[in-house]
Amino acid sequence: MDRFVWTSGLLELGETLVVQQRGVRLQDGEEKVKFDTGVLLLSTHRLIWRDQKNHECCIAVPLSQIVFIEEQGAGIGKSAKIVVHLHPASSNKEPGPFQSSKYSYIKLSFKEHGQIEFYRRLSEEITQRRWESMPTGQTIQVKDSRAGRVRAVGIVGIERKLEEKRKETDKNISEAFEDLSKLMEKAKEMVELSKSIANKIKEKQGDITEDETIRFKSYLLSMGIANPVTRETYGSGTHYHMQLAKQLAGMLQTPLEERGGIMSLTEVYCLVNRARGLELLSPEDLVNACKMLESLKLPLRLRIFDSGVMVIELQSHNEEEMVASALETVSEKGSLTADEFAKLVGMSVLLAKERLLLAEKMGHLCRDDSVEGLRFYPNLFLTQS
Amino acid sequence: MHRRGVGAGAIARKKLAEAKYKERGTVLAEDQLAQMSKQLDMFKTNLEEFASKHKQEIRKNPEFRVQFQDMCATIGVDPLASGKGFWSEMLGVGDFYYELGVQIIEVCLALKHRNGGLITLEELHQQVLKGRGKFAQDVSQDDLLRAIKKLKVLGNGFGIIPVGGTYLIQSVPAELNMDHTVVLQLAEKNGYVTVGEIKSSLKWETERAKQVLEHLLKEGMAWLDTQAAGEPQYWLPALFTELYSQEVTPEEAREALP
């Protein structure tokens, strides 16, 4: 920390602001110092730190003093840091907060994030060494012959530079936006074309081949256009979904067996995508694939309960039979809520509730619905008539 | 003299003409399919070019993502419909939102025992960010909402309820009708609501107010405080996050999935 000098924080002529970040703490090597919460500014020439509470307190170190920098990842209760290794301070250095230090490096602690961007920019500046080609001096007024205006420095100078930077960012954004608009025009043409084809298909119910329909659906899938043709054999399914269905059948066999033969579609979504890591399935991809399971004669099927809850079951799984054992369990305990039943049997509460509701629908259980929750009892009306 | 357009011959000719039109119709559709295929290839190239220049922008800039999504919606395209779609494959938007979906599901599941399956968008945002870690890509509330809209199709009861200036996210298949929603909105101001408040603000009878509150109690979305001064207060745990010091770690979230 003895490489820092006191500064006004004003940028000098020829010095440009590159990036700034709030919430940064300085550390002298491994030791904390009083520079706890500040704004860290990176310019083409210096690293400047200004206290957020007391703007008068402002220190800086020239970038030329930096030997190299490292990233230090965040930990539990610790912010991410950048470690900056420095050359020894020169003897004619201006006054700073510390006369000496036992460390040759400092740490920048990013309490409010921003370290990724800052590290990148700092690396760039150290590599480019722009300070060598842009010598700075005292605050001098220079006439900018093009604009015919006086290039002021100080606060106005900083503001101007920020404005330029903003304009450049805006330019990047507006270029991206322009390109996006052009792209969307082309996408719109695709949508129009697909509508016209869809109309043709509607008109000719039966004259268009299955093959052509499948081709069309896969084009829609690629573009993300909703399928307007309602007459379907496989829903919005395409060859892709058929493949997916087969993959799922293979992938889910074991997990299903481990979970008593039944899983909610939400669970399947998480399981499958966590396993894939990349090229994830969209929720719609999953649903469309599952809709094809039965017709493809795969050993799993999609089932939709009255409540709208969707599950995947093994073909060998018979929920109605499970109801019989559920009834036994409930009878043993006298009565059970979905939570209690779930804990006993080792199921998710969602599926436990569906099973109890099904049992009720089949007449085996009765409900007691109160503010204390939904509780199920064996249906004595049925058994003890 | 021949009378045109009548007689068996005319009918036969008409049928032939119709058949010819139909045939042409088939040919036209085939032509259009071929045309679409070609245009699709061209579009793919355009998209690839766009991606090479601006993929980072979409990744890093939440506002640009919003623009992108809005423009897609305007022209009738859903870039998130399928992981196999061009948008997803080339811009990487798919993986971003589908993974976010998984993270949202896990957070909601982990906190369900506390809040009955209702959570504010703010709290969900905070918890998801925590789970993603400090070096992960930034995620905005708009991103969360879009991911949630996609999750609905899984039949899990995900819903978005506007309250105050923000949203409550429902993650359980509990039936919440207009009455329930309106009471939730009323409760958002103070974190709780009473029968009296409902009656005076919404001009309902006691019975209607009680029914709604009891339903929320049953679903575990509201807790009853009978020791409050004045009338009993119905609190929504979804709305008082500051009172909890306990945080959900990513491990807890993952374990919450059976």
Side-chain angles (χ1 to χ4, degrees):
Chain A
M1 281 301 298
D2 61 331
R3 280 68 158 176
F4 277 87
V5 301
W6 293 112
T7 177
S8 61
L10 299 175
L11 292 179
E12 290 163 35
L13 186 64
E15 185 180 11
T16 319
L17 182 65
V18 174
V19 70
Q20 66 184 50
Q21 177 60 48
R22 290 172 54 89
V24 180
R25 174 172 60 216
L26 298 182
Q27 242 176 264
D28 182 22
E30 298 305 317
E31 289 170 14
K32 293 207 171 103
V33 290
K34 65 181 176 179
F35 299 111
D36 192 61
T37 313
V39 185
L40 188 65
L41 298 102
L42 173 66
S43 78
T44 42
H45 293 64
R46 299 179 288 167
L47 202 56
I48 306 170
W49 186 94
R50 176 167 58 235
D51 195 320
Q52 272 169 227
K53 295 195 197 85
N54 173 17
H55 292 263
E56 305 280 313
C57 174
C58 194
I59 54 176
V61 66
L63 295 183
S64 51
Q65 292 278 62
I66 299 179
V67 179
F68 74 98
I69 59 173
E70 308 177 86
E71 281 179 278
Q72 192 173 48
I76 302 172
K78 293 189 181 154
S79 314
K81 297 180 177 58
I82 298 178
V83 184
V84 183
H85 295 265
L86 299 162
H87 288 295
S90 53
S91 46
N92 61 346
K93 182 185 81 81
E94 307 209 2
F98 289 84
Q99 291 291 72
S100 63
S101 165
K102 62 183 188 201
Y103 297 97
S104 64
Y105 63 95
I106 56 163
K107 289 192 181 183
L108 312 171
S109 182
F110 287 80
K111 301 196 286 190
E112 290 177 31
H113 300 276
Q115 70 281 355
I116 304 177
E117 186 67 11
F118 207 95
Y119 182 82
R120 186 170 76 80
R121 300 304 201 119
L122 185 53
S123 299
E124 261 174 29
E125 291 306 316
I126 298 175
T127 315
Q128 289 178 10
R129 304 181 77 89
R130 287 197 272 176
W131 63 85
E132 285 174 357
S133 48
M134 291 153 69
T136 61
Q138 305 298 352
T139 53
I140 308 170
Q141 286 191 344
V142 167
K143 260 220 163 98
D144 186 323
S145 50
R146 279 173 301 160
R149 272 183 281 149
V150 170
R151 256 250 210 102
V153 291
I155 295 178
V156 178
I158 296 177
E159 279 182 350
R160 279 234 175 103
K161 277 160 189 143
L162 284 175
E163 181 61 36
E164 276 168 28
K165 181 163 196 280
R166 232 175 280 138
K167 280 208 185 110
E168 213 203 292
T169 314
D170 281 346
K171 197 177 73 123
N172 288 338
I173 300 276
S174 46
E175 193 197 320
F177 190 71
E178 232 185 83
D179 286 345
L180 181 64
S181 306
K182 288 198 199 118
L183 188 72
M184 288 298 167
E185 282 301 319
K186 301 204 171 82
K188 194 164 170 199
E189 285 169 26
M190 302 296 310
V191 176
E192 295 306 324
L193 185 54
S194 76
K195 277 193 193 144
S196 135
I197 296 179
N199 283 332
K200 286 239 151 41
I201 294 180
K202 272 199 204 123
E203 285 164 23
K204 282 140 27 80
Q205 305 277 1
D207 281 27
I208 193 156
T209 66
E210 194 67 38
D211 215 49
E212 284 170 335
T213 315
I214 292 183
R215 252 173 79 197
F216 183 52
K217 279 196 280 186
S218 74
Y219 296 161
L220 294 178
L221 187 75
S222 300
M223 283 301 300
I225 300 172
N227 189 349
V229 184
T230 45
R231 173 201 60 130
E232 294 301 350
T233 29
Y234 297 130
S236 295
T238 63
H239 280 303
Y240 168 61
H241 295 114
M242 264 197 275
Q243 301 291 34
L244 204 47
K246 293 179 188 150
Q247 267 180 39
L248 287 172
M251 207 181 174
L252 296 174
Q253 187 75 27
T254 312
L256 277 170
E257 284 165 10
E258 288 170 357
R259 288 163 178 73
I262 186 169
M263 279 174 80
S264 76
L265 208 55
T266 312
E267 268 180 89
V268 172
Y269 176 77
C270 291
L271 192 80
V272 170
N273 275 340
R274 281 254 175 250
R276 283 172 82 111
L278 287 178
E279 290 183 20
L280 306 182
L281 301 183
S282 76
E284 277 156 76
D285 284 336
L286 184 59
V287 172
N288 287 329
C290 289
K291 283 188 177 154
M292 297 175 100
L293 287 171
E294 194 120 36
S295 53
L296 289 174
K297 309 256 186 296
L298 292 164
L300 325 170
R301 63 168 166 250
L302 175 69
R303 180 181 181 149
I304 307 178
F305 287 114
D306 293 341
S307 61
V309 169
M310 295 165 89
V311 298
I312 300 294
E313 302 180 311
L314 287 172
Q315 282 286 4
S316 55
H317 178 91
N318 189 332
E319 189 65 11
E320 280 70 10
E321 279 168 22
M322 304 307 288
V323 160
S325 80
L327 174 58
E328 266 185 58
T329 315
V330 173
S331 304
E332 268 172 48
K333 300 287 177 179
S335 74
L336 287 174
T337 62
D339 276 327
E340 291 163 356
F341 180 61
K343 273 208 191 75
L344 266 177
V345 178
M347 282 178 89
S348 72
V349 179
L350 187 81
L351 295 180
K353 190 168 180 190
E354 289 304 325
R355 186 165 294 173
L356 294 175
L357 287 173
L358 184 62
E360 183 194 31
K361 189 173 172 186
M362 290 167 68
H364 297 297
L365 295 177
C366 261
R367 70 166 58 190
D368 173 23
D369 210 352
S370 71
V371 287
E372 278 155 37
L374 181 57
R375 188 166 280 279
F376 290 90
Y377 290 79
N379 184 1
L380 299 175
F381 295 110
L382 199 63
T383 54
Q384 295 178 5
S385 52
Chain B
M1 182 168 58
H2 290 145
R3 278 200 321 230
R4 280 192 234 131
V6 298
I11 295 173
R13 267 195 305 272
K14 232 190 182 162
K15 273 216 161 91
L16 192 61
E18 270 173 15
K20 281 229 167 99
Y21 271 128
K22 268 211 167 139
E23 216 180 79
R24 275 200 81 216
T26 318
V27 170
L28 275 179
E30 179 55 48
D31 275 350
Q32 281 194 304
L33 272 181
Q35 183 192 358
M36 187 164 187
S37 174
K38 243 179 34 184
Q39 268 186 248
L40 213 59
D41 282 337
M42 267 189 352
F43 182 78
K44 194 171 173 191
T45 313
N46 287 325
L47 184 55
E48 270 168 354
E49 211 195 300
F50 179 83
S52 68
K53 282 175 33 186
H54 303 297
K55 188 170 176 175
Q56 286 307 311
E57 202 63 53
I58 292 198
R59 229 175 58 82
K60 290 184 147 180
N61 188 337
E63 282 94 41
F64 191 60
R65 270 204 294 281
V66 173
Q67 302 277 27
F68 168 71
Q69 295 272 19
D70 283 346
M71 291 182 98
C72 284
T74 307
I75 62 170
V77 156
D78 182 1
L80 301 182
S82 171
K84 205 77 175 106
F86 287 160
W87 308 99
S88 182
E89 284 185 336
M90 276 174 248
L91 294 178
V93 275
D95 278 8
F96 173 72
Y97 285 99
Y98 308 146
E99 184 178 16
L100 194 51
V102 173
Q103 291 162 345
I104 291 169
I105 290 169
E106 290 178 342
V107 167
C108 288
L109 214 51
L111 295 175
K112 194 175 80 154
H113 67 281
R114 247 201 251 163
N115 56 31
L118 267 191
I119 187 172
T120 58
L121 186 57
E122 278 75 29
E123 191 183 357
L124 180 62
H125 192 200
Q126 269 177 44
Q127 298 282 7
V128 165
L129 282 178
K130 274 203 196 95
R132 286 166 73 91
K134 288 185 185 175
F135 286 102
Q137 193 184 333
D138 196 21
V139 152
S140 69
Q141 289 189 357
D142 182 83
D143 291 329
L144 290 175
L145 289 173
R146 290 188 198 272
I148 292 168
K149 284 184 187 141
K150 285 286 134 197
L151 289 178
K152 283 187 190 201
V153 78
L154 296 174
N156 44 26
F158 264 90
I160 300 173
I161 303 168
V163 294
T166 175
Y167 298 94
L168 279 177
I169 307 301
Q170 179 186 354
S171 59
V172 289
E175 231 229 71
L176 290 184
N177 58 31
M178 282 299 298
D179 273 8
H180 301 122
T181 311
V182 147
V183 166
L184 288 175
Q185 287 165 346
L186 197 56
E188 192 264 343
K189 273 193 308 236
N190 299 320
Y192 70 90
V193 75
T194 62
V195 173
E197 268 179 70
I198 297 177
K199 285 171 71 175
S200 62
S201 302
L202 304 175
K203 311 280 186 269
W204 288 1
E205 304 92 52
T206 312
E207 198 47 50
R208 185 176 175 188
K210 277 202 155 142
Q211 253 189 28
V212 167
L213 292 171
E214 278 176 12
H215 182 82
L216 293 176
L217 274 181
K218 253 192 302 205
E219 292 295 339
M221 294 174 179
W223 293 4
L224 180 57
D225 179 8
T226 50
Q227 292 177 333
E231 346 167 41
Q233 294 172 340
Y234 293 78
W235 286 81
L236 297 188
L239 297 175
F240 53 82
T241 59
E242 298 81 57
L243 299 182
Y244 282 104
S245 52
Q246 188 192 28
E247 291 175 355
V248 181
T249 63
E251 287 70 32
E252 271 180 87
R254 231 157 273 153
E255 274 159 34
L257 272 174

